[in-house]
Amino acid sequence: MTNRKTGLIGGTFNPVHYGHLFLAEQAMEYCHLDQVLFIPSGISYMKNVREIASAEDRLQMVRLATENHPDFHVSSVETDRPGESYTCETLLTLSREYADTRFYFIIGADNLFSIEKWKEPAEIFRRCTLVAAFRGDEARSALEEKAEDLYHKYQAEIILLPKRRIDISSTEIRQRITEKRSIRYMVPEPVRNYITEHGLYQKA
């Protein structure tokens, strides 16, 4: 029997910012989650690794960003794993560690249209409920249609969050740092200090 509801929010977090934190809080409130686990990626097969800060730096920044929230926690399950990171493998590992938990995997709603191309999508749908968050101008009707399609194909449980977001991106933050512009109020202050102290993202 599953007693706890745990949200999972993954990504490179390069760097983590207030948009990530707001999304986690929104999902926690809307889905009545007990906690949210932030999972910085290791080596992502979908990213250019030359543009990404080290796993150690990204993990530490997420820890700093979440340290004052009692229900936000950080997992190194992907950064500890050698090789590329796959969601299906992460869910399998976490299901062994959290045997009494139902997982709610928080993703951008646009990922609903590509998730069938991920490694072992059926396994992903079996092990978690998807929580899809609007990140752009996706039409809700199209998302509802895709969610229904995935339900019929995989019995996927999908929750669509109400459209509400903070328009901040890690790409913009890195660009502003390169241009020596302020990122104050875009990231938590401890994260901003860490970036400065460690000279992250200084070069284009």
Side-chain angles (χ1 to χ4, degrees):
M1 180 177 178
T2 57
N3 299 315
R4 288 178 65 79
K5 297 169 67 175
T6 296
L8 306 176
I9 181 166
T12 49
F13 300 116
N14 190 44
V16 62
H17 55 69
Y18 277 123
H20 297 128
L21 300 173
F22 178 80
L23 172 58
E25 185 76 8
Q26 183 190 19
M28 189 170 181
E29 181 180 81
Y30 191 78
C31 301
H32 306 289
L33 305 179
D34 296 300
Q35 63 180 346
V36 175
L37 199 60
F38 286 71
I39 309 173
S41 64
I43 301 173
S44 173
Y45 65 98
M46 292 188 277
K47 298 283 186 177
N48 183 347
V49 295
R50 291 179 300 177
E51 299 176 355
I52 301 176
S54 72
E56 180 183 353
D57 283 329
R58 291 182 291 109
L59 194 61
Q60 184 59 25
M61 286 189 285
V62 175
R63 286 174 175 152
L64 289 170
T66 59
E67 63 183 353
N68 291 323
H69 195 301
D71 300 313
F72 284 0
H73 307 286
V74 184
S75 170
S76 61
V77 62
E78 292 196 354
T79 55
D80 291 342
R81 182 191 301 138
E84 296 179 335
S85 295
Y86 296 98
T87 298
C88 60
E89 295 172 357
T90 297
L91 286 167
L92 177 60
T93 300
L94 291 175
S95 67
R96 292 168 176 163
E97 185 176 350
Y98 299 89
D100 63 341
T101 296
R102 177 61 183 172
F103 294 118
Y104 291 72
F105 184 47
I106 304 163
I107 61 173
D110 55 307
N111 285 319
L112 290 182
F113 298 99
S114 62
I115 197 168
E116 288 179 278
K117 298 178 182 178
W118 295 15
K119 184 178 180 181
E120 298 184 31
E123 189 69 10
I124 295 173
F125 296 130
R126 188 174 75 84
R127 293 192 177 275
C128 70
T129 295
L130 291 182
V131 180
F134 287 91
R135 297 199 299 191
D137 297 322
E138 306 97 336
R140 187 175 182 91
S141 59
L143 291 171
E144 289 174 343
E145 183 177 335
K146 184 61 181 178
E148 184 175 354
D149 176 60
L150 293 172
Y151 173 77
H152 288 301
K153 285 183 180 179
Y154 304 95
Q155 289 71 57
E157 296 180 25
I158 299 173
I159 298 171
L160 298 180
L161 289 180
K163 188 170 184 176
R164 188 177 181 186
R165 65 193 292 265
I166 296 177
D167 192 17
I168 301 175
S169 75
S170 296
T171 301
E172 179 188 4
I173 291 169
R174 296 194 302 272
Q175 183 65 32
R176 291 179 70 90
I177 294 170
T178 300
E179 296 171 353
K180 303 188 184 305
R181 299 165 65 194
S182 174
I183 60 168
R184 193 185 298 272
Y185 309 123
M186 300 178 78
V187 301
E189 193 68 3
V191 174
R192 189 174 75 92
N193 291 335
Y194 186 94
I195 289 171
T196 300
E197 290 168 6
H198 292 78
L200 302 182
Y201 314 120
Q202 299 293 328
K203 296 181 181 180

